[in-house]
Amino acid sequence: MMNLPVGIQSFLKETGEISRFSWRFFKEGFSPRFELSEFIRQCFVLGYKSLPLVGLTAFIIGLVLTMQLRPTMEYYGVEVQIPAMVGVAIFREIGPILTALIFAGKIGSSIGAELGSMKVTEQIDAMEVSGTNPFKYLVVTRTLATTLMLPILTIIADAIALIGAYLGENIYDTLPFNLFFRKVFLNLAYIDLIPAFIKTFFFGFAVGIIGCFKGYFTDKGTEGVGKAANSSVVVSSVMIFLIDLVAVQIADLFQR
Amino acid sequence: MKARNIDVFKLGAFVLAGIVLLIFALYTLGKNKNIFGTRFELKAHFKDVNGLLVGNKVRFSGIEVGNVRKIQILNDTMIEVAMNIDKEYKNYIRVNSITQIGTDGLIGNRLIDIVPQKGNAVFVQGGELLPSIEEINNQEILRTLYHTNENIALISEELLTTVRMINSSTQLSRLLNDSTLVDNLSHSLYKLSETTENASLFAKNAVQTLKLASEGSGTLATLLTDTSMANELRRAVSDIHALENNANQLLNNLTSTVETISSELHSGNGVANTILFDSTLSIKLKSTIENVERGTAAFEENMEALKSNFLFRRYFKNKEKEKN
């Protein structure tokens, strides 16, 4: 154990600490008392307030994806399949992963910075002194909010991306909305939608728990706050890809 | 603590929008796969389902009416496919409709086509086994196409050779470039037409003659029916026969004579041999002829002398006068 390089040692140490932190979340999250009003506030701040950014990126990616696919699809003479292909791409992968990454960028950093600054200004210690459980109040509510809001954001982002794709399709072609819509859904199955939807809970949880962890254990003053914000985005983004990798393997097992 | 400046209404709308969209997506997918519709079942048996999967579409006359619910192997040569069909199509599908496995587009998913047939069979009630026909195998089509292509390649190769031969043929080129050919051909055709006309005329005449002959009038009829002429002909023929016999006899005599001469020539005896080969005879004959010539010359001299004789001079003068 002691012979391992310092980098690996610190990586393993952090992994262990995050795991313990997550365990603590489950332990405290499902035992009273519940900070319901703070949870709702976090849902509003983390979920609803992220919608414009997520919606805009989803719309653009839907539009761009359709336009980018068109030359290749035309080359093979299957441009009629663009709606089906865009639909599969959005529902299965682009919708969830893009929303999660944008969410990680916006929310992961804000949670890390917020909790980090609370930590360095000793607000967390003050909460403990005042009898409030800071873990319940800060970590559980935020993590639960990200876990539940990201799937909703993803579904809305999918819908917006489809609208973008519809517009992208109609730049070069004329396709009625109901036909476009039908073409998208005719090619989809539950196996395309459900695993993609389920994995967004994990993405949300990863963003929330890593953001909280990084913020909750910030030290070294204001410099530490910046570091916490930065590393929470980096680590949660990497986690999103790792979870996606595992999720695709599992979904693939069901598809066979 | 932070001020609770949240808009619960907006949050509610946001969450609700997400849930509604999710339910809507799930419902639409389910509807496409006929999960929520009212359905009935039809079955079909196939030898080979060619990659058909559960959930693939079922079409009736090109309209999507349902999907494949179950694919089950009954035995080593029979596969049962159970289909879920929307109830609204119950009054259109008859029990004699034929099912076949097709493809959605050229490279699309497999599907089942229900093809209506002629006749007033009853409508399906649910659970019926529809008759099926096996799909035309792509491999089969490709194999046939391959053979056709091979044949076309062979034909085109032969055609190419022929065309090359035509192009390189000087005779043909001369023939094609010959401007008089058309005139000649036209002339020949004209002649052919004339000949045909003549042939036609001849045939007409022949018919007429034969008709006359059959009626018993005309030269041909006479030739064919006159007995006296026939007798004369017969006689003439017998005379020719007699002549032929005499000629034969003559020929035989001639042959024997020639043979005799020939044998004499070979043996060295006889008159012919003496005439042709006896050198003494020829010498004698030569001297005889010389004597005769000498005699004749002497005689001529004597005659000239006689002419100038006064006794005969008068006679010869008179002769000359008569001649002039």
Side-chain angles (χ1 to χ4, degrees):
Chain A
M1 175 73 190
M2 289 300 118
N3 296 333
L4 286 170
V6 184
I8 294 174
Q9 275 188 38
S10 66
F11 172 76
L12 290 174
K13 193 182 164 200
E14 191 161 311
T15 309
E17 279 172 353
I18 291 175
S19 302
R20 203 165 62 184
F21 195 73
S22 302
W23 172 242
R24 196 174 161 196
F25 163 80
F26 287 110
K27 209 169 74 181
E28 298 212 14
F30 296 101
S31 62
R33 128 183 201 255
F34 300 108
E35 300 284 350
L36 196 63
S37 57
E38 176 60 13
F39 166 68
I40 290 169
R41 197 183 77 86
Q42 289 303 328
C43 284
F44 180 77
V45 173
L46 304 180
Y48 178 79
K49 294 263 182 180
S50 302
L51 185 59
L53 183 66
V54 167
L56 180 71
T57 49
F59 177 82
I60 291 169
I61 209 78
L63 182 83
V64 168
L65 183 69
T66 311
M67 288 170 73
Q68 294 278 45
L69 270 174
R70 180 164 278 276
T72 315
M73 298 294 268
E74 270 182 349
Y75 179 78
Y76 291 106
V78 283
E79 62 266 37
V80 288
Q81 295 291 342
I82 292 175
M85 197 163 174
V86 170
V88 169
I90 288 172
F91 274 102
R92 287 186 76 127
E93 195 58 41
I94 292 172
I97 203 96
L98 184 85
T99 312
L101 286 175
I102 296 291
F103 194 70
K106 183 178 185 293
I107 303 305
S109 62
S110 86
I111 293 175
E114 190 185 6
L115 263 65
S117 58
M118 284 173 86
K119 170 81 178 170
V120 295
T121 53
E122 295 173 351
Q123 284 184 54
I124 292 174
D125 297 334
M127 280 170 89
E128 263 181 76
V129 172
S130 69
T132 311
N133 184 346
F135 195 90
K136 267 184 186 291
Y137 190 81
L138 299 172
V139 178
V140 172
T141 52
R142 278 166 179 74
T143 307
L144 212 56
T146 56
T147 309
L148 294 179
M149 288 302 107
L150 186 59
I152 291 171
L153 273 172
T154 305
I155 285 290
I156 295 172
D158 287 350
I160 294 169
L162 280 184
I163 293 167
Y166 169 71
L167 292 178
E169 176 74 17
N170 275 273
I171 290 173
Y172 301 103
D173 204 351
T174 312
L175 195 66
F177 185 74
N178 56 355
L179 181 58
F180 173 83
F181 185 77
R182 194 163 165 71
K183 277 185 169 185
V184 168
F185 277 92
L186 263 179
N187 208 43
L188 285 171
Y190 282 131
I191 195 72
D192 298 315
L193 185 62
I194 292 171
F197 182 70
I198 290 170
K199 73 184 174 188
T200 55
F201 285 96
F202 291 92
F203 292 165
F205 176 76
V207 172
I209 204 82
I210 289 163
C212 289
F213 172 78
K214 290 288 178 185
Y216 205 79
F217 294 106
T218 306
D219 48 10
K220 297 172 194 165
T222 46
E223 188 199 336
V225 175
K227 255 182 143 179
N230 180 44
S231 64
S232 68
V233 173
V234 173
V235 176
S236 56
S237 299
V238 172
M239 275 307 288
I240 285 165
F241 282 108
L242 287 174
I243 292 166
D244 194 40
L245 181 69
V246 175
V248 167
Q249 305 297 324
I250 294 168
D252 197 47
L253 286 177
F254 285 105
Q255 210 157 11
R256 280 170 196 281
Chain B
M1 292 295 122
K2 284 181 181 172
R4 299 191 171 179
N5 54 346
I6 65 158
D7 193 333
V8 183
F9 176 76
K10 282 179 183 171
L11 179 65
F14 166 71
V15 173
L16 214 62
I19 292 167
V20 165
L21 282 171
L22 178 68
I23 291 169
F24 179 73
L26 292 173
Y27 176 76
T28 312
L29 290 181
K31 199 179 158 202
N32 284 339
K33 308 292 171 208
N34 274 323
I35 287 174
F36 307 115
T38 47
R39 298 156 298 154
F40 66 98
E41 192 182 87
L42 288 175
K43 287 175 184 170
H45 287 168
F46 295 97
K47 227 195 286 184
D48 183 350
V49 293
N50 282 315
L52 186 80
L53 296 169
V54 171
N56 277 149
K57 294 169 193 169
V58 177
R59 284 181 182 166
F60 174 70
S61 299
I63 300 166
E64 210 180 310
V65 294
N67 66 323
V68 175
R69 189 181 68 82
K70 195 177 171 189
I71 299 171
Q72 191 183 3
I73 301 176
L74 293 183
N75 56 48
D76 57 346
T77 56
M78 199 181 284
I79 296 165
E80 186 177 84
V81 177
M83 299 166 274
N84 279 334
I85 311 290
D86 282 359
K87 268 206 173 124
E88 55 181 300
Y89 300 106
K90 209 171 193 174
N91 292 331
Y92 301 102
I93 304 172
R94 294 179 190 270
V95 290
N96 66 342
S97 302
I98 286 176
T99 54
Q100 63 181 44
I101 292 170
T103 311
D104 192 2
L106 195 63
I107 48 167
N109 292 326
R110 290 281 173 194
L111 52 83
I112 290 188
D113 272 318
I114 302 177
V115 186
Q117 301 295 306
K118 283 178 185 168
N120 282 324
V122 293
F123 292 111
V124 291
Q125 291 302 310
E128 282 95 343
L129 180 73
L130 296 182
S132 63
I133 51 169
E134 294 299 320
E135 185 196 20
I136 304 168
N137 198 339
N138 279 349
Q139 290 295 324
E140 200 82 22
I141 296 169
L142 288 174
R143 209 173 295 135
T144 314
L145 261 177
Y146 174 72
H147 280 300
T148 315
N149 279 348
E150 263 189 347
N151 290 341
I152 288 171
L154 275 175
I155 291 165
S156 69
E157 216 164 276
E158 296 285 323
L159 260 176
L160 187 71
T161 317
T162 313
V163 169
R164 277 191 181 146
M165 273 170 69
I166 289 170
N167 283 343
S168 59
S169 163
T170 48
Q171 285 92 336
L172 198 71
S173 151
R174 268 174 59 198
L175 200 68
L176 289 172
N177 292 324
D178 190 355
S179 56
T180 58
L181 183 74
V182 179
D183 294 339
N184 290 343
L185 206 66
S186 157
H187 186 68
S188 301
L189 284 172
Y190 176 71
K191 288 284 173 197
L192 193 70
S193 154
E194 253 185 0
T195 312
T196 315
E197 258 176 37
N198 290 341
S200 161
L201 206 64
F202 171 75
K204 207 172 162 187
N205 289 338
V207 167
Q208 210 166 2
T209 312
L210 282 173
K211 198 178 166 191
L212 283 170
S214 68
E215 282 169 0
S217 57
T219 320
L220 190 64
T222 314
L223 198 69
L224 292 172
T225 53
D226 194 345
T227 49
S228 64
M229 187 180 265
N231 286 336
E232 276 172 23
L233 262 174
R234 204 173 292 129
R235 206 161 34 245
V237 168
S238 73
D239 286 351
I240 289 166
H241 269 295
L243 190 66
E244 195 189 330
N245 286 338
N246 292 339
N248 270 344
Q249 214 169 348
L250 184 68
L251 205 66
N252 286 338
N253 291 342
L254 263 172
T255 311
S256 66
T257 310
V258 169
E259 273 173 1
T260 313
I261 291 167
S262 171
S263 66
E264 279 175 3
L265 286 174
H266 278 286
S267 61
N269 300 320
V271 185
N273 186 52
T274 313
I275 291 167
L276 290 170
F277 299 109
D278 194 347
S279 55
T280 54
L281 182 69
S282 73
I283 292 163
K284 277 178 187 169
L285 267 172
K286 218 177 186 177
S287 67
T288 309
I289 289 164
E290 279 172 3
N291 289 342
V292 169
E293 276 175 355
R294 258 197 314 272
T296 311
F299 180 70
E300 221 166 284
E301 210 179 334
N302 290 343
M303 280 305 285
E304 285 295 319
L306 208 60
K307 273 180 193 173
S308 52
N309 192 297
F310 74 96
L311 285 174
F312 295 99
R313 194 180 297 155
R314 196 178 184 87
Y315 171 77
F316 281 107
K317 273 184 182 171
N318 288 341
K319 254 298 190 202
E320 253 176 61
K321 270 180 191 170
E322 269 177 24
K323 223 183 247 178
N324 295 328

